[in-house]
Amino acid sequence: MTARAYSRGLTILALQVGIAALLLAGWELAADRLVDALLISKPSAVAAQALTWLSRGILQKAVLETMAVVLVGLLWGGATGILAGLLLGSARRAGDALEPIVAVLFALPKVALIPLLILWFGAGDQQKIVLVAVTVFFLFFYPVFNGIRAVPRALENMMLLSGASWTQRARILYLPASVGWLLAALRVALPYAFVAVIGAEIVASRGGLGHLARTSATVMNAAGTFAAIVTLTILATALSGAVIWLAGRSRFALRS
């Protein structure tokens, strides 16, 4: 990194910190002066609430519960989405027949499934995991499906003529054609996974950050609600940054 680029990076960072500080100061000053603090709270109260939860272990427990559901749901949804994309992408006739059905299911707002999932699995972690998996399934399916469809038929025919099995074609041809898109899909899937799990926790759950936000709002504790939201934002941003970092260190470009 050149000195000029380093200096530019520091300038941008300083501007970002300054803007954030101004916004927080404006929020602090506006509470009880322009808007009732009961509705918007204030940064000092949000920080105090978060520290109280931390001292009691409440925030750590909620973070672990939400993160566990997100990661397990991502694992199941990603694995099944990649497998389905491989199968339907390589089997062109079956893919052409089923792709419109997949498109219809993709268009379905997944949060509408929460009441049905509660009916089937109860209000525990299982229904939240299923909702996350269903939500991210399509975000992994389409990169693999479209990546395989973009592979030239001549390459597929060449491997078929050489006697390559389906697993060999998937390992050598199909997956490498999709990995760049999958890294981008993972970056997009993370916020969708958090939206799904927080929605499920708000509607019916006994734990997690969504549960903390809902119970705080129920007792008019705006500081608690904001503390849960800020914690969720930090988690999602950190995970997204980790994906970008991993993509930068891989030999596949992160496509957007």
Side-chain angles (χ1 to χ4, degrees):
M1 180 183 291
T2 65
R4 182 176 180 182
Y6 182 73
S7 175
R8 182 176 181 275
L10 286 179
T11 302
I12 292 174
L13 179 61
L15 286 172
Q16 292 171 337
V17 172
I19 292 171
L22 284 174
L23 290 174
L24 290 174
W27 180 8
E28 184 78 24
L29 293 173
D32 276 336
R33 291 179 175 85
L34 300 178
V35 184
D36 190 347
L38 186 66
L39 300 177
I40 65 169
S41 188
K42 55 180 68 176
S44 58
V46 173
Q49 179 67 78
L51 290 174
T52 300
W53 281 346
L54 283 171
S55 65
R56 298 176 181 175
I58 295 173
L59 191 59
Q60 298 94 312
K61 182 181 178 183
V63 167
L64 289 175
E65 290 176 348
T66 297
M67 283 296 299
V69 172
V70 167
L71 294 178
V72 174
L74 274 172
L75 179 63
W76 280 104
T80 54
I82 291 170
L83 180 59
L86 281 170
L87 293 173
L88 295 184
S90 57
R92 294 185 178 268
R93 289 185 179 178
D96 291 339
L98 295 176
E99 198 276 333
I101 299 175
V102 176
V104 170
L105 295 176
F106 178 49
L108 172 70
K110 309 306 179 293
V111 291
L113 298 174
I114 293 177
L116 190 60
L117 294 177
I118 293 173
L119 178 64
W120 288 348
F121 302 108
D125 287 345
Q126 195 171 4
Q127 59 96 7
K128 295 186 287 184
I129 291 172
V130 172
L131 181 65
V132 172
V134 170
T135 300
V136 304
F137 169 89
F138 301 94
L139 301 176
F140 288 95
F141 168 82
Y142 277 111
V144 177
F145 181 83
N146 292 326
I148 293 174
R149 291 302 179 93
V151 171
R153 292 298 296 269
L155 290 178
E156 287 189 90
N157 293 334
M158 187 183 303
M159 292 198 71
L160 287 170
L161 289 173
S162 66
S165 65
W166 183 87
T167 54
Q168 290 174 324
R169 297 199 307 274
R171 179 172 54 86
I172 298 172
L173 189 62
Y174 300 148
L175 283 177
S178 308
V179 169
W181 297 107
L182 282 173
L183 291 171
L186 179 58
R187 184 183 176 187
V188 174
L190 280 169
Y192 276 89
F194 277 105
V195 168
V197 70
I198 294 303
E201 287 175 349
I202 288 174
V203 172
S205 179
R206 295 181 291 272
L209 290 171
H211 174 72
L212 271 185
R214 176 173 60 84
T215 54
S216 297
T218 301
V219 296
M220 297 296 291
N221 180 8
T225 302
F226 275 110
I229 292 172
V230 169
T231 303
L232 175 65
T233 303
I234 292 172
L235 284 177
T237 303
L239 285 176
S240 181
V243 171
I244 295 173
W245 180 80
L246 287 173
R249 293 180 64 86
S250 73
R251 63 189 181 92
F252 299 99
L254 179 61
R255 305 181 186 181
S256 60

